[in-house]
Amino acid sequence: MYVAVISVLVLVLLNRADVYFAIAERATVDATLNNTQSSLYVRLAQDRLQGNLSRERHWDGGNPFELARMEVKNYAGSLDTPEKIAALQQGAWAFDSLSGVLVYVPEHPTGLWIDGGGTQLRFRLRVPSAAAVPVIEAVVPYRWDP
């Protein structure tokens, strides 16, 4: 009897732990994207102060981590084949140099819904127009509920 009760409690706790890991991972992904976006703004401001007024339009489809001069702990680098992108480990970022897309493979996808049923979050650095600031946008819509 006690073994059954303890087993059920352990199962419930493990399930809740996965939810908390997913919430933490979502916050980490959001923070990484926000920090990258902020670093791009700083880089843009530096370029403009140095007289390079339109360089950012060449950033469209570029590697946000490299352009922002960021070091991301779990960044696997720029990958140039679909096989390498498919083999990316969970919890890792990479830049798909063929499609110009930043890729993240979730380690704890609890509560994550990606349109089309994919397993990777994909983001693109986009410069809407010559005078616009670069933005990092999701290529495929997703929702990560707690």
Side-chain angles (χ1 to χ4, degrees):
M1 174 74 173
Y2 291 118
V3 172
V5 171
I6 290 173
S7 296
V8 169
L9 287 174
V10 167
L11 188 61
V12 169
L13 289 174
L14 288 175
N15 184 36
R16 290 305 302 166
D18 195 46
V19 169
Y20 291 126
F21 284 133
I23 290 169
E25 184 176 22
R26 182 185 69 192
T28 301
V29 167
D30 289 345
T32 300
L33 292 171
N34 288 335
N35 289 339
T36 304
Q37 185 73 59
S38 296
S39 294
L40 287 169
Y41 292 156
V42 169
R43 168 90 191 274
L44 180 62
Q46 288 173 338
D47 282 356
R48 289 192 174 164
L49 287 171
Q50 294 172 354
N52 302 317
L53 300 179
S54 61
R55 185 181 294 175
E56 69 277 357
R57 69 178 172 215
H58 301 291
W59 293 2
D60 197 70
N63 185 335
F65 290 161
E66 288 181 7
L67 290 167
R69 299 178 181 131
M70 289 199 47
E71 291 185 24
V72 177
K73 181 179 176 183
N74 50 346
Y75 177 57
S78 183
L79 305 178
D80 58 0
T81 66
E83 294 80 21
K84 290 179 182 176
I85 295 294
L88 197 59
Q89 294 181 358
Q90 290 182 329
W93 291 91
F95 182 71
D96 181 349
S97 60
L98 294 177
S99 61
V101 169
L102 190 62
V103 177
Y104 180 75
V105 181
E107 188 171 3
H108 301 282
T110 301
L112 176 62
W113 285 272
I114 301 172
D115 278 6
T119 59
Q120 299 175 336
L121 299 177
R122 302 177 71 80
F123 304 93
R124 186 177 196 310
L125 178 61
R126 198 167 77 77
V127 183
S129 66
V133 294
V135 292
I136 300 173
E137 298 177 330
V139 173
V140 177
Y142 70 96
R143 188 177 76 244
W144 209 334
D145 296 328

